[in-house]
């Protein structure tokens, strides 16, 4: 599993528009069939790659016009919701149905569109030790899913109808919520239509204005994260985990801040893994009373997008009594601010490309 593909974890915010000037509402609808291949990122799924998946992407998009300062900063992006159907053309893997929130970002005079979407997908045929033991890609019906699209995008070429074409990457994984979890990544070529749901062709963007950036002082963050996960040993059981984090951040630009801090991990699945290895693999010389807790130090970055922010962190365990996937870890995900201080977060914690857990957190930034 590629943790960058998680960028995510639910990349959608409810955008608060100006109360003084009501912005116009403009929506587009796009329908994009695709055809592609499952990428071999892990040899353990080679037996599942025997055909070319296909499907379609439906998207509903709401335009922004610059009534908020962040809309200028990101070149008037769209927010939206989308649906993906994927036929993996393999009876073992089944089919996936996904619902997403997304943003569209524009480049090169708005002729190139980059979309990032995050959501939840339903798989019709996950792993079952009796009925479907060959599906080591998906361990559960519900999957976390991320997709990226890079398209030539042109609206209203023929009255309200436009075109789009390009490439997409679609990722499915349950992030070790339940084993097995080898995951899949689909690289696809897509081409489709864009339909403008509004009569008017005119789009009155609020022009950008130069504003002096006032950098915030050092802020102090405290967060509590939790969730469920399982080791790679199938059938070892799902266990809750708890993480306490404290870190400082310093704004270095209009939309960026650097972070430094520490995590304390209470990962109960390691208790079972330690017990299992101490009994089943004596050659590993693991003691049954080995401490399951870990402590890490990390450096990070936060990218602010309206009430949302994207966080990326790279850490190193300074207290590491049990060897699990190495001392270096990384985290990527989303924060959503409620007011000036409180936030919620959904993040993916990994060791390189090996996911450990999806973390659901709350915190405060003082």
């Amino acid at each position: 599993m590629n943790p960058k593909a998680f960028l995510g974890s639910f990349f959608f915010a409810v955008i608060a528009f100006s109360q003084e000037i009501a912005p116009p509402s403009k929506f587009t609808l796009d329908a994009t069939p695709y055809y592609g291949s499952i990428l071999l990122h892990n040899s353990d799924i080679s037996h599942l790659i025997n055909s070319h998946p296909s499907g379609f992407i439906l998207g509903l998009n709401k335009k922004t016009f610059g009534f908020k300062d962040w809309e200028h900063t990101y070149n008037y992006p769209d927010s939206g919701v989308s649906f993906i159907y994927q036929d993996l053309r393999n009876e073992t893997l089944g089919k996936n149905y996904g619902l997403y929130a997304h943003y569209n970002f524009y480049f090169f005079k708005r002729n190139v569109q980059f979309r990032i979407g995050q959501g939840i997908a339903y798989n019709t045929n996950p792993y079952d030790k009796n009925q479907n033991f060959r599906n080591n890609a998906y361990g559960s019906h519900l999957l976390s899913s991320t997709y990226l699209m890079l398209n030539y995008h042109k609206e209203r070429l023929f009255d309200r109808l436009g075109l789009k074409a390009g490439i997409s990457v679609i990722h499915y994984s349950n992030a070790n919520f339940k084993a097995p979890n080898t995951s899949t990544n689909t690289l696809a070529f897509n081409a489709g239509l864009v339909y403008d749901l509004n009569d008017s062709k005119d789009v009155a963007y609020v022009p950008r204005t130069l504003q002096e950036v006032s950098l915030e002082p050092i802020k102090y963050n405290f967060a509590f994260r939790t969730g469920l996960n399982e080791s790679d040993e199938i059938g070892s059981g799902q266990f809750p985990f708890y993480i306490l984090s404290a870190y400082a951040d310093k704004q270095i630009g209009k939309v960026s801040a650097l972070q430094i801090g520490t995590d304390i991990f209470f990962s109960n699945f390691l208790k079972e893994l330690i017990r299992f290895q101490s009994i089943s693999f004596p050659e590993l010389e693991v003691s049954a009373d080995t401490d399951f807790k870990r402590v890490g130090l990390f450096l990070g970055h936060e990218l602010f997008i309206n009430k949302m922010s994207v966080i990326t962190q790279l850490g190193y365990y300074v207290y590491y009594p049990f060897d699990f996937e190495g001392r270096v870890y990384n985290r990527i995900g989303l924060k959503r601010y409620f007011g000036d201080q409180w936030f919620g977060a959904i993040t993916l914690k990994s060791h390189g490309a090996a996911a450990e857990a999806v973390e659901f957190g709350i915190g405060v930034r003082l």
Side-chain angles (χ1 to χ4, degrees):
M1 172 180 175
N2 185 350
K4 293 182 179 179
F6 188 78
L7 189 63
S9 196
F10 299 93
F11 197 10
F12 178 70
V14 178
I15 301 177
F17 291 99
S18 171
Q19 295 180 354
E20 297 179 359
I21 304 176
S25 294
K26 187 175 178 63
F27 295 87
T28 61
L29 182 68
D30 56 67
T32 316
Y34 65 85
Y35 181 84
S37 298
I38 297 176
L39 303 176
L40 183 60
H41 68 284
N42 188 320
S43 60
D44 290 343
I45 66 167
S46 59
H47 64 290
L48 300 174
I49 303 176
N50 55 18
S51 189
H52 293 278
S54 62
F56 59 84
I57 303 172
L58 300 177
L60 177 65
N61 314 283
K62 184 174 184 178
K63 301 291 185 180
T64 62
F65 299 96
F67 285 81
K68 290 291 186 179
D69 187 52
W70 73 273
E71 298 170 359
H72 298 150
T73 302
Y74 290 97
N75 194 29
Y76 314 103
D78 310 333
S79 62
V81 293
S82 43
F83 171 82
I84 296 181
Y85 165 75
Q86 181 166 131
D87 183 353
L88 292 144
R89 299 188 180 275
N90 183 303
E91 291 184 1
T92 300
L93 288 174
K95 298 177 174 63
N96 290 334
Y97 301 85
L99 186 63
Y100 304 78
H102 68 249
Y103 276 115
N104 299 325
F105 299 95
Y106 291 91
F107 307 91
F108 301 106
K109 297 182 179 180
R110 305 186 75 80
N111 290 314
V112 175
Q113 182 195 79
F114 173 70
R115 176 182 295 178
I116 180 167
Q118 180 64 43
I120 296 176
Y122 178 85
N123 176 257
T124 60
N125 196 27
Y127 170 86
D128 182 272
K129 65 179 180 181
N130 296 316
Q131 303 297 324
N132 194 23
F133 61 89
R134 290 185 176 86
N135 187 355
N136 62 345
Y138 310 139
S140 58
H141 281 292
L142 292 180
L143 306 171
S144 171
S145 182
T146 305
Y147 79 100
L148 309 174
M149 296 181 74
L150 183 64
N151 280 204
Y152 170 77
H153 180 94
K154 196 68 175 177
E155 298 178 15
R156 302 194 74 120
L157 285 174
F158 312 100
D159 193 19
R160 296 191 190 186
L161 200 62
L163 299 173
K164 64 186 303 181
I167 58 174
S168 302
V169 177
I170 308 171
H171 172 76
Y172 298 102
S173 168
N174 68 22
N176 264 31
F177 177 75
K178 188 176 181 181
N181 180 48
T182 312
S183 76
T184 62
N185 299 299
T186 300
L187 176 64
F189 295 95
N190 61 262
L193 301 175
V194 184
Y195 184 74
D196 193 331
L197 296 176
N198 299 85
D199 292 330
S200 175
K201 292 183 180 181
D202 297 329
V203 178
Y205 292 107
V206 176
R208 301 181 185 185
T209 57
L210 295 177
Q211 296 181 350
E212 183 179 351
V213 178
S214 178
L215 299 183
E216 296 178 331
I218 294 175
K219 297 287 187 175
Y220 299 96
N221 299 256
F222 302 92
F224 170 75
R225 298 181 174 94
T226 188
L228 291 174
N229 65 341
E230 183 175 13
S231 74
D232 293 333
E233 300 294 335
I234 298 174
S236 60
Q238 296 169 284
F239 298 90
F241 61 85
Y242 311 99
I243 304 169
L244 300 176
S245 303
Y247 57 98
D249 73 62
K250 180 65 177 76
Q251 188 179 1
I252 59 171
K254 186 176 182 180
V255 296
S256 293
L258 295 180
Q259 305 170 338
I260 183 170
T262 184
D263 295 308
I264 304 176
F265 300 92
F266 302 88
S267 303
N268 288 295
F269 82 96
L270 288 180
K271 285 184 179 180
E272 175 60 24
L273 185 60
I274 290 169
R275 186 197 67 81
F276 173 75
Q277 290 190 1
S278 69
I279 297 171
S280 302
F281 299 96
E283 66 274 15
L284 296 178
E285 299 182 348
V286 174
S287 174
D289 61 359
T290 301
D291 192 1
F292 72 99
K293 296 184 290 295
R294 295 166 292 175
V295 177
L297 300 177
F298 67 83
L299 297 174
H301 177 268
E302 185 166 359
L303 177 68
F304 299 98
I305 307 174
N306 197 18
K307 295 294 184 180
M308 299 285 291
S309 69
V310 181
I311 60 172
T312 52
Q313 297 172 348
L314 181 66
Y316 181 84
Y317 297 114
V318 293
Y319 179 68
Y320 187 67
F322 177 68
D323 185 18
F324 178 75
E325 303 287 0
R327 283 183 173 266
V328 177
Y329 66 94
N330 47 282
R331 176 182 287 123
I332 187 167
L334 301 171
K335 291 169 68 175
R336 205 301 184 178
Y337 286 93
F338 301 93
D340 295 331
Q341 296 181 333
W342 294 95
F343 61 83
I346 302 174
T347 50
L348 174 72
K349 189 230 179 172
S350 315
H351 302 90
E356 180 179 322
V358 173
E359 307 164 335
F360 298 89
I362 57 172
V364 63
R365 183 172 182 254
L366 304 174

